[in-house]
Amino acid sequence: MNVAKRSFDAVIVGAGGAGLRAAIQLSEAGLKTAVLSKVFPTRSHTVAAQGGVSASLGNSEPDHWHWHMYDTVKGSDWLGDQDAIEFMCRQAPDVVVELEHYGMPFDRLDSGKIYQRPFGGHMSNFGDKPVRRACAAADRTGHAMLHALYQRNVRANTQFFVEWMALDLLRAADGRVLGVIAMEMETSEITVFQAKATLFATGGAGRIFASSTNAFINTGDGLGMAARAGIPLEDMEFWQFHPTGVAGAGVLITEGVRGEGGILRNSSGERFMERYAPNAKDLASRDVVSRAMVTEINEGRGCGPNKDHVLLDITHLDPAVIMSRLPGIREISIQFANVDPIKAPIPVVPTCHYQMGGIPTNYRGEVVVDNKPVAGFYAAGECACASVHGANRLGTNSLLDLLVFGKSSGEHMVEFIRSEPNALPDIPEAEIDRSLVRVNRLDTQKNGANVHETRAAMQRTMQNHCGVFRFKNMLEQGAAKILEIEQQVQQVEIKDKSKVWNTARLEALEVENLIEVAKATMISANARTESRGAHVRDDAPDTPQHPDGRDDENWLKHTLWYRDGNRLDYKPVTLTPLTVETIALKKRAY
Amino acid sequence: MANRTVQFKIYRYDPDKDSAPYLQDISVELDASDRKLLDALVKIKAKDDSLSIRRSCREGVCGSDAMNINGKNGLACLTDIDSLKQPIVLRPLPGLPVIRDLIVDMTQFFKQYHSIKPYVINNDPPPERERLQSPEEREELNGLYECILCASCSTSCPSFWWNPDKFVGPAGLLAAYRFIADTRDQATSERLDNLEDPYRLFRCHTIMNCVDVCPKHLNPTQAIGKIKDMMVRRAV
């Protein structure tokens, strides 16, 4: 079949924070760059980040990148790669200042410097006490950041392909990446985007779970495309459940609420985090707080008629602080919980929020398979695994991740493109056909499964079998169920065959990506027989030999899931930082 | 809120098969967890996959699901179903070409947004650290930077309906003032020049539909008034 082809120096898939930050690097270097996005760039899910972006600016008290690095390694439960973590924490002040220069409307201190607030797991002096490290624009930091990054791209004349969905990664016989094949949503026309360097910045896949803070668009498209092209997915068993999603609605309430003094309470009004994390209390890391909440609920101390949530209380805060620092949260509470938090506490439950794993990369943004970079292929942001978050991400490190690794991958793409003067090899026809067959099936499928029902079945399975606490038998059953659901996904049927803005077709293609992520998650989680960070299972309990169930002897390693045969492989964690000493393994306590 | 049946009339048009647009009667069963209009639309789409809408964050911050709801523009994800008179009539945002169903072509809207140079212009070499701004100076940006570009305002503005190619419209002008008001921006005079013509700014006749519909409670009319004041002040 004849497909239109376009040629670029670089193609970026995804126009959230990471994609836009990388695009600035490429466009300002004068390279011909195409940015593809399913949505207008400012509608990407970075827009929903609330609390802040971390950087050891030390604007209101002493801080140091090395302390930030320590906190990040500890937060990751030592699964994060210490070279990438050092790189990120050292770069943080520069990329945040750069963003300020782009026009980001950060809140300000009386000194005129950027306002910083405390956040979970961020401490001074190697774990001593909470430190103000989260640079914030009220509780709309992601919105302010995404708009500032888009605006800088407008200035740089970046070429956007808005409302295009990438379908598949295109590779040469030798494995080199040659670009992507994509569909224009308005017309259903398919085009090949050939490029010397391709960046995936497609975000997370939180929609594999029934209850998620994630947007509808977070369907793991980059992960699905990578998996189908033979790239493994790393550490997919590690999913962050954010402690404070609005009960019932799933909408996020930032940890910045606790940073500003908010307190979690159980049915007797007790500040229960004092029992679980005597030092950091409500500002312990997210996995710790989420588990404490679920324990309270499971032990009958939940709130409400069904005792199924706890309360986030800020009624003791000055209403003026709520209005100036947390105005968006107040809106969300009124809209989605029917509660004005100035007057009454907000009902909250742990809700799927962030994917720590992803496409394996190094800190340069290069995708790494079998210890070697895949020529021409880069990934950054939530879809990538550098790995800086390991088994549990600290709040505000996600916005930092996308700035640092968006920029870093952009820089290395510029270098790579300039070192490749030759024209690109032709794209093998079979690569293009692989994608066309998948799309064309949807036009001819009869008696197939309903997309909505199939997706809902997958989401329920993930929610029930792979949640905050995991159980051996449930993981085993869940893995089997997901493989059954995969059979249905391969036969989903759409009734709408229109060529014009066919959202049924798009959702079917998204479910094909989601199921790859669901399989990677279930199979990786089932295999990891220890507890670490966000992955906690009943058969790996807290023992003197394995505190908190963590088994460094056998499991201090990254999981790699390959789609082909659902094969698992492992690779070592990088414990050696770039310039400082290794942050030595120890039991985590907050 | 309990289980209930809700009646809709939804604007449908698929240029691939329909010769003309029509309003489709749809009734949908909702349960207690369905609170927002978007929840209902997702339920409808689960039964009839051909209904086309844009949606993403479902919490009022991405700006995707703006539409005309019982005659007034707003976001489906922030509109309580039970606050609406039935049948709930849904139409695409007015004044922009319809692509399909509730999806409009927003090219003209974004063109106007881009026309105001929506980025900080500062030609001094960037300092090593952040540019300083007092809390009071930063306060000037509140009510301006929070815009989500949903287009509810511009597509409720008669002046924008009549001259979408010449009048910047409330969203673009709000953004223009956001950069004028930013102490880090050095291009105020260039920005005012850029708006100095009979249409771009001055087609605002303070009808204030924009203020009435903004889902983020912003006030483009006030921002436009401030730009007009600056124009007048620099003319005398």
Side-chain angles (χ1 to χ4, degrees):
Chain A
M1 197 174 137
N2 234 349
V3 176
K5 285 197 183 70
R6 303 188 61 153
S7 200
F8 294 87
D9 291 317
V11 57
I12 295 175
V13 184
L20 290 180
R21 185 62 192 81
I24 291 169
Q25 224 57 31
L26 288 151
S27 292
E28 290 187 350
L31 295 174
K32 193 179 169 198
T33 306
V35 181
L36 276 60
S37 176
K38 288 198 290 188
V39 294
F40 185 78
T42 63
R43 316 215 189 287
S44 308
H45 197 51
T46 303
V47 80
Q50 296 173 354
V53 52
S54 50
S56 57
L57 292 171
N59 282 355
S60 43
E61 60 187 314
D63 199 3
H64 196 281
W65 66 261
H66 202 179
W67 300 346
H68 186 187
M69 177 185 171
Y70 175 87
D71 295 338
T72 304
V73 172
K74 176 181 170 186
S76 82
D77 218 349
W78 274 270
L79 192 70
D81 287 324
Q82 297 195 15
D83 56 344
I85 294 174
E86 178 181 337
F87 181 79
M88 179 176 81
C89 297
R90 290 185 79 148
Q91 290 282 315
D94 283 352
V95 292
V96 167
V97 165
E98 215 164 44
L99 188 65
E100 193 282 326
H101 295 158
Y102 293 168
M104 167 92 174
F106 282 113
D107 286 1
R108 300 291 172 151
L109 297 161
D110 287 338
S111 62
K113 294 179 179 174
I114 294 170
Y115 169 77
Q116 297 186 280
R117 61 163 58 114
F119 238 79
H122 289 280
M123 320 282 272
S124 62
N125 201 19
F126 304 102
D128 188 17
K129 60 176 194 330
V131 68
R132 291 161 210 229
R133 187 179 288 148
C135 309
D139 52 3
R140 306 185 181 98
T141 310
H143 170 279
M145 178 187 284
L146 188 67
H147 281 253
L149 290 171
Y150 175 67
Q151 289 158 357
R152 183 73 177 194
N153 273 287
V154 172
R155 179 178 179 268
N157 279 318
T158 300
Q159 192 176 358
F160 286 100
F161 291 81
V162 173
E163 294 173 339
W164 281 71
M165 180 177 179
L167 301 171
D168 275 295
L169 189 66
L170 300 171
R171 301 181 75 180
D174 65 0
R176 177 182 175 152
V177 166
L178 302 172
V180 294
I181 182 166
M183 178 189 279
E184 185 181 32
M185 290 155 67
E186 184 179 337
T187 60
S188 302
E189 273 174 34
I190 293 179
T191 298
V192 164
F193 289 77
Q194 194 169 23
K196 289 180 177 169
T198 301
L199 172 71
F200 275 9
T202 55
R207 284 273 159 180
I208 62 170
F209 287 93
S211 173
S212 169
T213 64
N214 281 200
F216 282 102
I217 55 171
N218 295 145
T219 54
D221 300 333
L223 298 139
M225 289 189 279
R228 283 191 296 273
I231 307 282
L233 302 182
E234 180 176 345
D235 290 343
M236 292 302 294
E237 61 270 47
F238 297 101
W239 283 84
Q240 178 160 83
F241 290 80
H242 193 291
T244 55
V246 173
V251 176
L252 174 70
I253 300 283
T254 175
E255 191 170 306
V257 169
R258 283 170 282 140
E260 296 288 348
I263 291 170
L264 291 164
R265 296 187 191 281
N266 61 17
S267 56
S268 59
E270 182 204 6
R271 184 182 194 181
F272 60 85
M273 280 313 299
E274 287 180 332
R275 279 188 277 120
Y276 297 86
N279 185 27
K281 301 187 178 81
D282 299 90
L283 288 176
S285 77
R286 288 180 178 171
D287 56 335
V288 172
V289 179
S290 284
R291 276 196 293 277
M293 291 168 67
V294 173
T295 304
E296 289 299 300
I297 292 166
N298 287 349
E299 294 180 357
R301 294 186 293 277
C303 305
N306 301 320
K307 294 182 170 294
D308 58 359
H309 59 264
V310 301
L311 294 172
L312 175 59
D313 186 4
I314 52 171
T315 55
H316 54 287
L317 298 188
D318 179 353
V321 170
I322 298 176
M323 299 301 275
S324 65
R325 299 289 185 214
L326 305 167
I329 285 312
R330 181 165 178 253
E331 281 283 327
I332 284 176
S333 303
I334 292 170
Q335 279 281 348
F336 293 95
N338 232 347
V339 160
D340 182 346
I342 290 175
K343 299 179 190 135
I346 312 164
V348 289
V349 285
T351 306
C352 174
H353 182 57
Y354 189 87
Q355 156 200 311
M356 267 76 74
I359 301 167
T361 71
N362 56 26
Y363 66 84
R364 291 181 289 274
E366 297 165 327
V367 175
V368 175
V369 179
D370 295 332
N371 287 319
K372 291 189 299 287
V374 176
F377 192 28
Y378 299 78
E382 192 171 344
C383 74
C385 183
S387 150
V388 284
H389 309 305
N392 171 67
R393 173 174 71 76
L394 294 188
T396 69
N397 269 356
S398 56
L399 290 186
L400 178 61
D401 169 347
L402 53 83
L403 288 178
V404 168
F405 296 106
K407 181 180 181 183
S408 177
S409 51
E411 283 175 344
H412 289 94
M413 288 166 79
V414 170
E415 260 176 47
F416 178 80
I417 292 163
R418 288 191 173 145
S419 71
E420 287 278 320
N422 300 330
L424 284 164
D426 281 343
I427 295 168
E429 284 298 317
E431 279 287 279
I432 295 169
D433 289 346
R434 178 167 67 89
S435 201
L436 296 179
V437 165
R438 215 161 54 81
V439 175
N440 292 340
R441 180 193 67 79
L442 290 171
D443 286 333
T444 54
Q445 179 75 45
K446 297 269 193 301
N447 305 317
N450 173 288
V451 173
H452 180 81
E453 286 164 16
T454 306
R455 184 177 51 213
M458 173 196 67
Q459 291 170 334
R460 274 196 308 274
T461 305
M462 295 307 297
Q463 193 78 25
N464 295 335
H465 291 261
C466 211
V468 174
F469 285 106
R470 296 169 176 182
F471 303 89
K472 183 176 190 295
N473 64 333
M474 291 296 278
L475 287 168
E476 282 165 4
Q477 291 167 16
K481 273 194 191 181
I482 283 294
L483 294 177
E484 274 170 38
I485 294 168
E486 185 196 14
Q487 303 297 315
Q488 286 178 46
V489 170
Q490 285 171 1
Q491 293 170 17
V492 289
E493 178 185 351
I494 55 173
K495 303 289 182 200
D496 184 2
K497 314 283 191 200
S498 172
K499 292 286 177 205
V500 182
W501 247 103
N502 186 329
T503 49
R505 184 181 291 126
L506 297 168
E507 287 188 30
L509 293 167
E510 288 173 340
V511 170
E512 292 188 9
N513 293 325
L514 283 166
I515 196 70
E516 299 299 338
V517 180
K519 279 189 293 176
T521 300
M522 278 305 325
I523 290 165
S524 304
N526 189 31
R528 184 178 284 269
T529 53
E530 66 157 354
S531 297
R532 183 185 297 270
H535 174 70
V536 166
R537 33 191 300 162
D538 66 330
D539 55 343
D542 185 27
T543 61
Q545 196 197 348
H546 297 302
D548 293 330
R550 197 177 85 194
D551 177 1
D552 290 324
E553 206 175 314
N554 292 302
W555 287 104
L556 185 61
K557 57 187 180 184
H558 296 294
T559 307
L560 294 169
W561 170 84
Y562 289 82
R563 177 175 184 263
D564 190 13
N566 284 308
R567 181 166 64 90
L568 291 177
D569 196 1
Y570 294 90
K571 69 174 182 182
V573 175
T574 304
L575 293 170
T576 311
L578 298 171
T579 66
V580 292
E581 282 184 20
T582 295
I583 292 168
L585 284 157
K586 70 177 193 187
K587 177 182 156 70
R588 238 167 26 129
Y590 283 98
Chain B
M1 282 173 285
N3 292 352
R4 60 220 189 275
T5 306
V6 176
Q7 309 295 330
F8 284 88
K9 281 185 184 292
I10 301 184
Y11 180 101
R12 301 299 307 266
Y13 176 57
D14 175 2
D16 233 14
K17 64 180 179 64
D18 302 324
S19 54
Y22 61 98
L23 280 180
Q24 184 184 20
D25 291 306
I26 298 175
S27 88
V28 62
E29 303 288 321
L30 300 180
D31 60 41
S33 68
D34 298 311
R35 183 168 171 184
K36 301 295 180 185
L37 177 56
L38 182 60
D39 299 328
L41 290 171
V42 168
K43 280 247 158 107
I44 293 169
K45 190 163 174 56
K47 298 260 185 238
D48 172 6
D49 69 6
S50 72
L51 176 67
S52 290
I53 57 167
R54 290 188 178 102
R55 85 282 179 271
S56 183
C57 75
R58 60 83 169 87
E59 59 189 65
V61 69
C62 80
S64 296
D65 65 350
M67 56 187 67
N68 188 267
I69 305 159
N70 281 351
K72 186 175 169 184
N73 292 352
L75 299 181
C77 60
L78 292 186
T79 302
D80 285 325
I81 301 162
D82 296 322
S83 72
L84 298 170
K85 188 169 162 280
Q86 294 184 35
I88 299 167
V89 182
L90 300 181
R91 295 174 185 273
L93 290 174
L96 293 176
V98 175
I99 299 174
R100 176 174 174 178
D101 296 343
L102 299 176
I103 295 176
V104 291
D105 180 348
M106 297 184 72
T107 308
Q108 197 64 55
F109 173 77
F110 288 122
K111 204 169 164 181
Q112 291 296 1
Y113 173 69
H114 292 148
S115 80
I116 61 96
K117 299 195 175 174
Y119 41 85
V120 165
I121 298 173
N122 184 319
N123 293 320
D124 294 340
E128 292 238 333
R129 287 289 305 249
E130 65 261 55
R131 293 195 164 101
L132 300 181
Q133 199 170 44
S134 72
E136 295 71 32
E137 288 168 340
R138 167 60 182 78
E139 174 82 27
E140 292 296 312
L141 306 183
N142 285 349
L144 304 172
Y145 82 94
E146 302 92 326
C147 173
I148 57 173
L149 299 174
C150 70
S152 288
C153 59
S154 293
T155 62
S156 71
C157 173
S159 295
F160 191 76
W161 296 338
W162 292 321
N163 297 105
D165 53 336
K166 295 185 190 142
F167 175 51
V168 171
L173 291 168
L174 184 83
Y177 187 65
R178 177 250 174 275
F179 292 100
I180 290 171
D182 195 323
T183 52
R184 299 169 295 178
D185 189 272
Q186 300 173 326
T188 296
S189 140
E190 182 192 326
R191 292 183 189 282
L192 294 178
D193 292 347
N194 178 285
L195 297 173
E196 181 110 60
D197 91 353
Y199 286 92
R200 285 178 60 72
L201 171 71
F202 288 102
R203 280 287 133 162
C204 169
H205 298 310
T206 60
I207 298 165
M208 294 185 70
N209 282 358
C210 53
V211 183
D212 190 36
V213 300
C214 177
K216 305 310 281 185
H217 315 299
L218 308 179
N219 191 332
T221 307
Q222 191 179 49
I224 292 167
K226 287 183 177 170
I227 304 176
K228 284 181 177 170
D229 284 350
M230 293 178 86
M231 290 274 197
V232 172
R233 272 206 307 275
R234 78 166 184 170
V236 293

